[in-house]
Amino acid sequence: MTSTLFYHHLLLLVVLLLHAPLCPAAGGSWSVLLPSIGISAMHMQLLPNDRVVMYDRTDFGISNISLPNGKCRPNSTDCSAHSVEYDVGSNTIRPLMVLTNVWCSSGTLMPDGSLVQTGGWADGYRRVRIYKSCATCDWQEIPNGLNQQRWYATNHLLPDGRQIIIGGRQAFNYEFYPKMSATENSPSFPFLVQTNDPNVENNLYPFVFLYPDGNLFVFANNRAILFNYSKNQVVKTYPTMPGGQPRNYPSTGSAVLLPLRMKKGVAESVEVLVCGGAPKGAFANANNGRFDGALDTCGRIRISDPNPQWVMETMPLARVMGDMLLLPNGHVLIINGASAGVAGWELGRNPVLSPVTYRPDNQMGSRFEVQNPSTIPRVYHSTAVLLRDGRVLVGGSNPHDKYVFTNVLYPTELSLEAFSPSYLDPSSSSSRPRILSPKTKTTIRYGKRIAVTFMVSGPIDLNSVTVTMVSPSFNTHSFSMNQRLLVLDSANSTKALGRSTYRVGVTAPPSGNFAPTGHYLLYVVHKEIPSSGIWVRMQR
């Protein structure tokens, strides 16, 4: 080969490398489940009967689905539904009636399997709404169930079975539901005052996670604390995330508590990952027609360390208004959102159509993988939840204050999609476990041993079997409340029982500090490929 030809080939190779994507698409597939559910799914919660409750707001105008039997909301001419229940198995929806405005509210799946939803806008500020699923059930409302107005608040299930409701617009305090007494107050929470940027906020829908000592990790704006809610005391103040950029609404990023790997009754480490958002000044700029690029960074902090420090990582795609979900195999899915602007009416631009997976156990620099894109923009007011079969349900997107379908950049989206991660590819079927026992709806006691029997049709690696427990989260505004995943302690106990049949013994979490009482999805994972889940109930 002549030197000229060699250098020509070398130059061509350099050009190809420079134009190659940083993280090649790894897979995953999309399907449209329903072209319209009648509403735009702004809030979403999976229930332990494999149905999903969704709702938007009561003042969007007339939705595209009517209430049944000619019903109308009281004192209203609106006879359309603004909430629906989606049946995953039959791929059908049923309209529900909310009586007051649920816009930008919050909620928690309670230990008895009912969804208790709190707050909203205007006539919904102090409402508590309860939905217990059945063929004919509907929302029940408690007019003054809250002490304070809650709009853009965050809820979390506590070890005692109650939920804590933190913050909201101009609500620098917290409260509990249900109440222990009629005189129970709402303690002040100065951290929310300290993290409030004047005229912007940047601390709404704070990221809240239950730490295994019973305290709460609370992240707002660009910093975090460990908080003893019983004593109203800050236990620890963590460093500000490097760069100091805001990560909460309206500069909306997202966050997860990374999987808790259990070993002899303790979590090996406790880490939080916060990704995306918008830079300082982006909210004011967007309101003036200038749309700043979203943040492309994530901060990861091991909060169980004696001296925790943020470690920054760079995503392959910048993202604001993205959702972060824990997948059954312990990976993190980052999905939905835009690459410019902020959360708010008409304030986002350039949808990010490709999800990204994050593998927490990989070495830095090899954790992110870009997945195959959707064709449907999911910007402001989009949602995503994990389903029992391992798919991710995706809906919503309405950056307008009404239902608007024409002559806009991003029309109101009524469709419902499913994203199937690459572990659901048919090529993985021979490695995919199928749980034989326990049966679904089994009750699990804290600290007790559980025998899980499963099948794998192809070759198995007994050292690559884990059992995970995932809590069904309440998703809205890019944060999944109550989301946590535990990798249960198996002590490498996987054994063959017969042809293609195996058993693994695992120990249940030791207390409600690790997994509050209630419903969870339990999976067997083999070589990062999860089974379909079964419902289990943690109980004292």
Side-chain angles (χ1 to χ4, degrees):
M1 183 185 291
T2 65
S3 59
T4 302
L5 189 58
F6 171 78
Y7 285 116
H8 173 76
H9 280 88
L10 184 62
L11 180 63
L12 181 62
L13 179 63
V14 169
V15 169
L16 288 172
L17 287 172
L18 286 174
H19 287 83
L22 291 174
C23 296
S29 61
W30 290 86
S31 60
V32 175
L33 301 174
L34 292 169
S36 173
I37 60 170
I39 67 167
S40 189
M42 188 191 298
H43 313 75
M44 200 181 271
Q45 171 74 61
L46 175 67
L47 303 175
N49 60 355
D50 292 322
R51 297 183 181 184
V52 182
V53 172
M54 295 170 256
Y55 56 90
D56 50 22
R57 54 183 281 199
T58 57
D59 57 351
F60 264 161
I62 305 298
S63 77
N64 280 24
I65 181 169
S66 297
L67 289 166
N69 306 318
K71 286 197 297 188
C72 303
R73 277 192 301 121
N75 305 313
S76 172
T77 57
D78 185 356
C79 303
S80 66
H82 294 281
S83 176
V84 299
E85 183 180 57
Y86 171 67
D87 186 323
V88 176
S90 64
N91 194 38
T92 57
I93 57 170
R94 184 172 73 88
L96 303 175
M97 183 165 67
V98 285
L99 302 177
T100 53
N101 205 335
V102 288
W103 177 31
C104 300
S105 56
S106 49
T108 292
L109 186 70
M110 299 300 278
D112 67 353
S114 63
L115 171 59
V116 173
Q117 181 274 335
T118 56
W121 162 249
D123 62 352
Y125 271 142
R126 293 181 56 201
R127 294 269 172 161
V128 171
R129 304 170 190 85
I130 300 172
Y131 181 74
K132 182 78 173 176
S133 182
C134 74
T136 58
C137 292
D138 214 329
W139 287 100
Q140 304 298 314
E141 299 205 3
I142 302 170
N144 293 303
L146 300 176
N147 291 343
Q148 305 290 327
Q149 296 181 353
R150 301 290 172 192
W151 192 33
Y152 298 91
T154 295
N155 299 18
H156 204 298
L157 187 63
L158 298 174
D160 67 358
R162 295 200 298 166
Q163 59 176 304
I164 189 170
I165 305 143
I166 297 176
R169 179 158 281 166
Q170 297 300 309
F172 305 119
N173 49 57
Y174 61 96
E175 63 182 285
F176 304 92
Y177 189 86
K179 308 294 182 193
M180 299 291 277
S181 72
T183 58
E184 189 172 286
N185 65 357
S186 303
S188 64
F189 195 15
F191 178 67
L192 295 180
V193 178
Q194 297 157 12
T195 54
N196 182 64
D197 289 344
N199 304 316
V200 181
E201 296 167 310
N202 280 336
N203 69 346
L204 299 180
Y205 283 121
F207 306 143
V208 180
F209 303 108
L210 178 65
Y211 189 74
D213 67 358
N215 293 312
L216 294 175
F217 176 91
V218 183
F219 182 102
N221 197 323
N222 54 19
R223 51 198 183 275
I225 58 172
L226 190 65
F227 184 61
N228 184 325
Y229 57 87
S230 298
K231 297 180 179 178
N232 194 18
Q233 290 178 354
V234 175
V235 177
K236 181 181 287 188
T237 299
Y238 298 98
T240 299
M241 189 183 289
Q245 298 287 15
R247 308 280 176 164
N248 292 87
Y249 185 94
S251 300
T252 302
S254 191
V256 291
L257 178 71
L258 289 176
L260 297 174
R261 194 171 295 275
M262 303 302 297
K263 205 79 170 175
K264 296 181 178 178
V266 298
E268 290 183 329
S269 67
V270 185
E271 295 184 83
V272 169
L273 181 71
V274 179
C275 290
K280 292 177 182 177
F283 180 73
N285 288 342
N287 276 283
N288 288 307
R290 300 191 304 276
F291 301 97
D292 296 339
L295 301 177
D296 65 357
T297 53
C298 296
R300 179 168 169 172
I301 187 168
R302 183 171 295 174
I303 58 178
S304 54
D305 277 359
N307 183 30
Q309 300 295 320
W310 291 99
V311 176
M312 303 305 292
E313 302 182 60
T314 302
M315 297 187 289
L317 302 169
R319 197 179 303 249
V320 62
M321 298 179 284
D323 287 285
M324 294 174 69
L325 296 181
L326 295 168
L327 298 177
N329 60 5
H331 298 173
V332 181
L333 180 70
I334 309 172
I335 196 167
N336 297 338
S339 62
V342 295
W345 303 133
E346 322 293 342
L347 298 182
R349 292 293 185 275
N350 306 332
V352 182
L353 299 175
S354 295
V356 170
T357 55
Y358 176 89
R359 299 175 179 235
D361 295 334
N362 280 17
Q363 293 295 312
M364 275 191 70
S366 62
R367 290 174 176 162
F368 293 100
E369 288 183 337
V370 178
Q371 305 296 293
N372 288 320
S374 172
T375 58
I376 301 174
R378 302 284 182 181
V379 287
Y380 187 41
H381 289 147
S382 298
T383 47
V385 297
L386 175 69
L387 298 177
R388 183 172 59 84
D389 60 15
R391 292 178 299 161
V392 173
L393 189 68
V394 178
S397 187
N398 189 9
H400 320 291
D401 64 358
K402 295 288 184 289
Y403 297 112
V404 182
F405 302 104
T406 56
N407 301 318
V408 288
L409 278 175
Y410 312 117
T412 301
E413 190 55 63
L414 306 182
S415 68
L416 203 60
E417 287 180 288
F419 174 70
S420 297
S422 56
Y423 55 61
L424 290 172
D425 290 351
S427 60
S428 300
S429 60
S430 64
S431 296
R432 182 171 299 116
R434 180 167 67 88
I435 297 175
L436 302 176
S437 69
K439 297 301 182 186
T440 195
K441 304 288 178 70
T442 293
T443 295
I444 294 176
R445 307 285 179 179
Y446 288 112
K448 300 299 183 183
R449 197 77 174 157
I450 311 154
V452 182
T453 306
F454 63 97
M455 290 187 67
V456 172
S457 62
I460 191 171
D461 178 358
L462 295 179
N463 296 316
S464 296
V465 174
T466 56
V467 177
T468 61
M469 262 177 51
V470 187
S471 59
S473 54
F474 178 93
N475 177 266
T476 190
H477 289 77
S478 301
F479 185 54
S480 292
M481 303 174 196
N482 302 296
Q483 183 173 217
R484 63 202 299 112
L485 183 151
L486 289 83
V487 182
L488 300 183
D489 187 359
S490 65
N492 298 318
S493 64
T494 309
K495 292 181 174 58
L497 297 181
R499 185 179 178 183
S500 303
T501 307
Y502 307 88
R503 177 174 294 158
V504 57
V506 293
T507 304
S511 74
N513 288 349
F514 292 87
T517 55
H519 295 82
Y520 292 81
L521 289 165
L522 185 139
Y523 296 88
V524 174
V525 182
H526 172 231
K527 295 195 288 191
E528 300 189 334
I529 300 167
S531 66
S532 186
I534 62 168
W535 285 104
V536 296
R537 186 175 180 182
M538 285 302 311
Q539 201 163 309
R540 293 186 184 89

